[in-house]
């Protein structure tokens, strides 16, 4: 089969690899029909995730068709269309029993990280019964690719951890795919205002189309001053940090009001300055987290009911064998106006 293979920082290749095989009785082999590229894949290509070894197939999102199942798999059979969770869960360990699947003792985020991932013609899925989801007949499979990772990430780590509630003023710092996913799902809870902050005018314009009430270009004006102006000097009830750099973390610290929630979603690779001397008195709550994907079933129902339209995030389509070009496009997202890319394997 062909796969997108990591060969060290800045070095990737679309090359032949052996087809995956069943290794454990609880495995399934899935033929990928649609997959995508994540910002985390770009972090890997930059060398930010040293656990990824030379020769690993990247990718942790996608939909496909069951090709083969191990004898211990009871929920799926050959030919079933499935959604692949970015998180592998055994369903039995202490963390899984708390729905903290991201810290599964025999799984977690391993696809495209510690084992071969989904940017390939075929992928092996460990713990298939608890790491795959049946796709309803007639469902929009491209929309469901967005449910592998970014929608549950924005929802669980941003909106739910941030405890967004009716009437809240919410600021989402970062209007990339994860920030936009938080924007879409925050609206489940009817906040009064959602302020989007980014450097990219195109993404800010998309934010308005998706429901943002205000936008702030932090490259053209002081974001903290502007948000304080928009909130009559009070600050925001919820600040979602969706980038992962010190500057965006600082904005969230500076705009949160007393009793507010700061939800850190961004992947931080360097230390930040935590302004405890200012925040200790403000009764704030700060959360971090890796997505657990426990909301996938609910999100699938919401998409099926037409209440959530994640296909809005898709801006580009490529064939799987065009994945090298797709990486170039996604890596140059601002110029290419790229959000999420669909890679199709015929």
């Amino acid at each position: 089969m062909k796969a997108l293979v990591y060969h060290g920082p800045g070095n990737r290749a679309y090359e032949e690899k052996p087809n995956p095989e069943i290794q454990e009785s609880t495995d399934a082999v899935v033929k990928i029909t649609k997959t995508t590229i994540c910002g985390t894949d770009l972090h890997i290509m930059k060398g930010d995730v040293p656990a990824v070894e030379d020769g690993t197939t990247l990718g942790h999102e996608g939909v496909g068709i069951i090709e083969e199942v191990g004898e211990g798999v009871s929920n799926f059979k050959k030919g079933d269309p499935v959604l692949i969770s970015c998180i592998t869960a055994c369903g039995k360990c202490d963390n899984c029993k708390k729905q903290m699947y991201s810290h599964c003792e025999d799984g977690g985020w391993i696809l495209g990280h510690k084992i071969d991932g989904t940017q390939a013609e075929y992928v092996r899925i460990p713990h298939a019964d608890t790491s795959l989801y049946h796709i309803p007949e007639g469902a929009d499979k491209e929309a469901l690719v967005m449910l592998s990772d970014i929608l549950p990430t924005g929802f669980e780590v941003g909106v739910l951890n941030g405890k967004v509630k009716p009437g809240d003023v919410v600021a989402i710092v970062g209007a990339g795919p994860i920030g936009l996913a938080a924007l879409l799902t925050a609206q489940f809870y009817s906040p009064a205002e959602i302020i989007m902050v980014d450097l990219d005018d195109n993404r800010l314009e998309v934010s308005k189309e998706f429901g943002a009430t205000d936008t702030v270009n932090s490259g053209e004006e002081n974001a903290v001053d502007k948000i304080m102006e928009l909130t009559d000097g009070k600050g925001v009830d919820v600040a979602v940090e969706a980038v992962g750099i010190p500057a965006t973390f600082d904005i969230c610290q500076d705009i949160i009001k007393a009793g507010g929630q700061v939800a850190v979603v961004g992947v931080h690779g360097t230390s930040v300055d935590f302004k405890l001397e200012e925040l200790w008195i403000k009764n704030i709550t700060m959360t971090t987290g890796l997505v657990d994907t426990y909301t996938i079933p609910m999100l699938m129902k919401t998409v099926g009911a037409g209440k959530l339209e994640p296909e809005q995030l898709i801006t580009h389509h490529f064939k799987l064998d065009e994945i090298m070009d797709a990486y170039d496009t996604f890596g140059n997202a601002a110029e290419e106006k790229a959000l999420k890319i669909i890679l199709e394997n015929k």
Side-chain angles (χ1 to χ4, degrees):
M1 71 169 187
K2 283 292 192 73
L4 192 285
V5 181
Y6 173 76
H7 288 300
N11 188 3
R12 64 178 189 265
Y14 187 62
E15 63 189 32
E16 286 286 343
K17 289 189 73 168
N19 280 25
E21 298 178 348
I22 299 293
Q23 296 180 18
E24 303 288 342
S25 65
T26 51
D27 289 350
V29 173
V30 177
K31 178 183 179 181
I32 293 293
T33 54
K34 298 178 188 291
T35 184
T36 186
I37 303 169
C38 181
T40 305
D41 298 319
L42 298 185
H43 278 289
I44 292 170
M45 289 308 308
K46 292 175 183 176
D48 293 343
V49 188
V52 182
E53 297 182 352
D54 186 347
T56 301
T57 299
L58 297 188
H60 50 266
E61 302 161 274
V63 298
I65 299 171
I66 297 284
E67 182 75 11
E68 183 182 2
V69 296
E71 60 184 15
V73 176
S74 59
N75 292 338
F76 300 94
K77 65 182 186 303
K78 180 178 173 65
D80 284 347
V82 292
L83 167 67
I84 299 166
S85 170
C86 66
I87 298 296
T88 299
C90 75
K92 299 177 180 178
C93 69
D94 287 346
N95 287 331
C96 281
K97 289 176 180 178
K98 300 174 188 174
Q99 285 194 317
M100 203 161 66
Y101 305 126
S102 60
H103 292 276
C104 172
E105 294 172 11
D106 191 38
W109 173 43
I110 57 174
L111 287 174
H113 178 205
K114 297 179 180 178
I115 66 172
D116 285 340
T118 59
Q119 290 169 9
E121 293 179 292
Y122 296 89
V123 62
R124 179 180 71 91
I125 304 297
H127 302 298
D129 278 340
T130 43
S131 304
L132 296 172
Y133 296 86
H134 288 283
I135 294 178
E137 186 174 351
D140 183 340
K141 295 181 176 62
E142 291 191 0
L144 293 187
V145 173
M146 304 298 106
L147 270 60
S148 285
D149 182 356
I150 63 166
L151 258 296
T153 296
F155 184 45
E156 294 174 20
V157 189
V159 177
L160 294 182
N161 280 4
K163 297 183 180 178
V164 176
K165 58 187 182 298
D168 274 353
V169 177
V170 178
I172 300 173
V173 184
I178 293 292
L180 292 172
L183 167 63
L184 289 172
T185 54
Q187 293 171 71
F188 291 164
Y189 298 96
S190 300
E193 299 176 49
I194 305 178
I195 304 165
M196 296 294 292
V197 181
D198 203 276
L199 297 166
D200 185 334
D201 281 331
N202 175 64
R203 289 186 168 184
L204 292 174
E205 192 60 39
V206 170
S207 299
K208 289 181 181 177
E209 296 172 9
F210 286 7
T213 55
D214 293 283
T215 60
V216 177
N217 187 317
S218 54
E220 296 179 358
E221 57 187 329
N222 184 296
V224 174
D225 289 348
K226 182 61 177 178
I227 291 169
M228 296 308 286
E229 176 187 328
L230 289 170
T231 59
D232 296 324
K234 296 176 181 178
V236 302
D237 298 289
V238 182
V240 177
E241 194 285 312
V243 181
I245 59 174
T248 51
F249 182 76
D250 281 346
I251 291 172
C252 290
Q253 292 187 91
D254 292 342
I255 63 174
I256 198 68
K257 71 193 305 186
Q261 305 272 151
V262 177
V264 178
V265 189
V267 178
H268 283 263
T270 60
S271 298
V272 298
D273 182 15
F274 182 38
K275 300 178 182 179
L276 190 57
E277 75 282 3
E278 297 176 14
L279 297 174
W280 73 269
I281 201 171
K282 294 181 71 174
N283 294 54
I284 69 152
T285 301
M286 183 173 293
T287 57
T288 65
L290 181 61
V291 65
D292 290 307
T293 68
Y294 65 87
T295 61
I296 285 178
M298 182 277 285
L299 291 170
M300 289 182 74
K301 291 178 182 177
T302 308
V303 171
K307 304 295 185 182
L308 179 66
E309 299 177 347
E311 64 273 16
Q312 298 174 87
L313 296 164
I314 300 167
T315 55
H316 292 71
H317 289 78
F318 291 87
K319 296 177 182 177
L320 184 61
D321 62 11
E322 298 172 324
I323 193 168
M324 296 292 280
D325 293 335
Y327 260 88
D328 291 338
T329 298
F330 191 64
N332 193 22
E335 185 172 325
E336 299 288 346
K337 297 184 178 181
L339 292 173
K340 289 297 285 185
I341 287 170
I342 289 291
L343 294 152
E344 186 168 9
N345 179 35
K346 292 290 189 180

